[in-house]
Amino acid sequence: MGKIILTGDRPTGRLHVGHYVGSLKRRVELQNSGEYDKIFIMIADAQALTDNADNPEKVRQNIIEVALDYLSCGLDPAKSTLFIQSQIQELAELSFYYMNLVTVSRLQRNPTVKAEIQMRNFETSIPVGFFTYPISQAADITAFKATTVPVGEDQLPMIEQCREIVRKFNFVYGDTLVEPEALIPQNEVCCRLPGTDGRAKMSKSLGNCIYLSDSADEVRTKVMSMFTDPNHLKITDPGSLEGNTVFTYLDAFSRPEHFERYLPEYANLDELKGHYQRGGLGDVKVKKFLNAIMQEELEPIRNRRKELERQIPDIYEILKKGSEVAREEAAATVAEVKAAMRINYFEDAALIAEQADRYAAGTENALSCKIKCDKG
Ligand code: TRP
């Protein structure tokens, strides 16, 4: 069996550096490792609609933003199939069958769904589509027989629920689906990069994100106004690293060679942290260092994006082609699923012959009684 990747993002806004360190960067590395037979990267517009039903325009506008972010980070349509979820109707079909394998109480226990319901103040008015999106996400993954799903840590409950659906399906209908593994960032801070204001989550509405598409000036301004230690008033004061966003970002972005290049007086991040904690190291110096690193990382992405922004129709064409490829894959899986569930009636010659025989022998009533009796 080959190694297959599927992952994706909801198109509800431009992608930010949290997406980058949490998932995008790794995807590009995996893509270029040559270790995977197939790679599918999905713009999850149908899932985005589960909590944006009244705002389809937001989803529609952001598809190209996400595609631009993907391509500028180095996802390559020659190596990865980039596609749009809603164009693959087979995903809805699979979801419909998987719904029979999942209980309401199991969905209610899904920690990600629980947290998201709270975050959106949905408590008393949860859209059914939103509530059941873990099922549709299982369809996304299994339609492509994905073995590997690179995601942020918050998605682990989704992958677990998908694995349960796969096991249940295979148990009931016979071995058909592939149980996927999640691949989360190796570096713990990359799992949840905080907002520039120190809040736990980056969110567009809080205005605390650094976007991949931000200009050099925007990045600098955001870095220089990042939340640090509010008690570190004078340079000579000892500073705290706890909840200090600048240092969290350094944990995520800095590498040893950055010190050689920009701060040769320190051997590594531990030395820099030590000095900050002892006192005598000012926030501005640390922020300037972080800014230099982030500019270095983001500049090539930004430049590629500028180029790609001049080729919008070509990018839609890439997504269209990708969606065609993805659809073929998903259709093959649906055919297997229907065969396993024995609902492929018109390809089931044995079924047709059996029914014809029953009627020919005049035993049709006996049999229909048998089905009723078996059911109890
Ligand atoms: N839930 C993911 C997110 O919010 C997006 C997504 C949809 C996804 N379907 C997927 C991720 C399948 C991995 C696999 O970012």
Side-chain angles (χ1 to χ4, degrees):
M1 193 185 64
K3 287 173 75 177
I4 300 174
I5 286 179
L6 176 119
T7 188
D9 300 275
R10 297 181 192 178
T12 52
R14 294 178 169 204
L15 301 181
H16 52 59
V17 293
H19 295 113
Y20 181 68
V21 297
S23 172
L24 270 176
K25 194 176 175 180
R26 184 84 177 281
R27 279 183 216 173
V28 175
E29 287 164 9
L30 294 169
Q31 167 193 272
N32 296 334
S33 74
E35 277 178 36
Y36 290 85
D37 300 294
K38 292 179 193 168
I39 301 175
F40 297 95
I41 310 288
M42 180 181 75
I43 301 180
D45 62 335
Q47 188 176 104
L49 287 168
T50 64
D51 63 337
N52 286 286
D54 52 1
N55 200 357
E57 194 54 27
K58 171 166 136 192
V59 175
R60 181 168 171 267
Q61 294 295 334
N62 278 304
I63 286 177
I64 193 72
E65 300 298 337
V66 172
L68 282 164
D69 287 330
Y70 281 172
L71 295 166
S72 46
C73 282
L75 287 175
D76 174 357
K79 298 178 185 158
S80 300
T81 302
L82 308 182
F83 71 98
I84 305 178
Q85 185 183 29
S86 61
Q87 304 309 296
I88 320 298
Q89 61 204 54
E90 286 77 5
L91 298 177
E93 198 173 350
L94 288 177
S95 305
F96 194 51
Y97 299 130
Y98 296 171
M99 283 191 184
N100 304 330
L101 306 175
V102 179
T103 63
V104 171
S105 64
R106 175 60 182 90
L107 281 169
Q108 278 166 334
R109 271 185 282 119
N110 183 310
T112 306
V113 175
K114 246 186 182 165
E116 286 180 321
I117 285 172
Q118 258 185 5
M119 214 166 69
R120 290 169 175 71
N121 296 318
F122 270 166
E123 273 93 353
T124 54
S125 55
I126 311 165
V128 173
F130 181 82
F131 182 63
T132 57
Y133 92 75
I135 302 175
S136 108
Q137 191 155 331
D140 301 336
I141 295 168
T142 54
F144 301 94
K145 302 237 162 101
T147 53
T148 312
V149 187
V151 280
E153 200 184 32
D154 64 313
Q155 293 292 305
L156 285 177
M158 297 297 152
I159 312 302
E160 194 42 49
Q161 186 142 23
C162 174
R163 290 165 61 92
E164 282 175 35
I165 291 173
V166 169
R167 289 196 291 265
K168 180 100 197 237
F169 187 100
N170 288 347
F171 177 74
V172 176
Y173 303 114
D175 254 341
T176 313
L177 302 175
V178 176
E179 219 176 300
E181 308 261 2
L183 201 61
I184 61 170
Q186 295 122 322
N187 180 347
E188 178 128 4
V189 292
C190 292
C191 286
R192 22 190 151 72
L193 201 66
T196 53
D197 56 357
R199 290 198 218 207
K201 242 186 130 81
M202 261 188 261
S203 126
K204 193 175 178 173
S205 53
L206 295 173
N208 61 0
C209 309
I210 298 179
Y211 294 99
L212 293 172
S213 47
D214 278 349
S215 69
D217 280 347
E218 285 167 321
V219 173
R220 187 180 315 107
T221 305
K222 288 177 183 180
V223 170
M224 296 312 287
S225 59
M226 254 184 194
F227 181 79
T228 58
D229 170 6
N231 299 318
H232 187 236
L233 298 174
K234 288 192 291 242
I235 291 183
T236 47
D237 288 341
S240 164
L241 303 175
E242 186 81 23
N244 189 321
T245 318
V246 178
F247 280 96
T248 312
Y249 274 58
L250 284 175
D251 280 328
F253 283 94
S254 76
R255 294 189 301 271
E257 68 261 30
H258 292 138
F259 285 89
E260 277 168 45
R261 214 169 306 155
Y262 303 111
L263 272 187
E265 59 269 42
Y266 300 92
N268 53 41
L269 187 55
D270 284 340
E271 276 190 19
L272 188 75
K273 286 179 175 173
H275 193 184
Y276 190 80
Q277 287 173 301
R278 285 195 305 279
L281 174 57
D283 282 354
V284 170
K285 184 165 179 177
V286 188
K287 286 177 170 175
K288 282 189 168 158
F289 176 52
L290 175 62
N291 178 56
I293 295 174
M294 292 194 64
Q295 297 291 354
E296 184 181 321
E297 188 94 21
L298 298 177
E299 192 186 56
I301 298 174
R302 186 187 305 131
N303 292 343
R304 266 197 301 269
R305 200 182 206 276
K306 282 270 158 290
E307 298 225 335
L308 291 159
E309 285 168 359
R310 292 197 291 266
Q311 309 164 35
I312 299 296
D314 298 338
I315 297 175
Y316 277 103
E317 197 55 32
I318 289 171
L319 296 175
K320 184 174 174 217
K321 290 260 156 57
S323 299
E324 284 162 14
V325 171
R327 227 189 129 189
E328 261 175 55
E329 288 291 322
T333 303
V334 166
E336 285 178 54
V337 160
K338 290 174 99 170
M341 294 174 70
R342 304 182 52 77
I343 56 174
N344 59 340
Y345 312 113
F346 307 131
E347 283 136 48
D348 190 347
L351 170 74
I352 298 167
E354 195 181 296
Q355 302 299 352
D357 287 352
R358 219 152 51 77
Y359 273 88
T363 55
E364 70 274 13
N365 292 330
L367 233 137
S368 69
C369 167
K370 181 179 177 303
I371 293 168
K372 270 191 215 125
C373 299
D374 282 354
K375 276 191 116 181

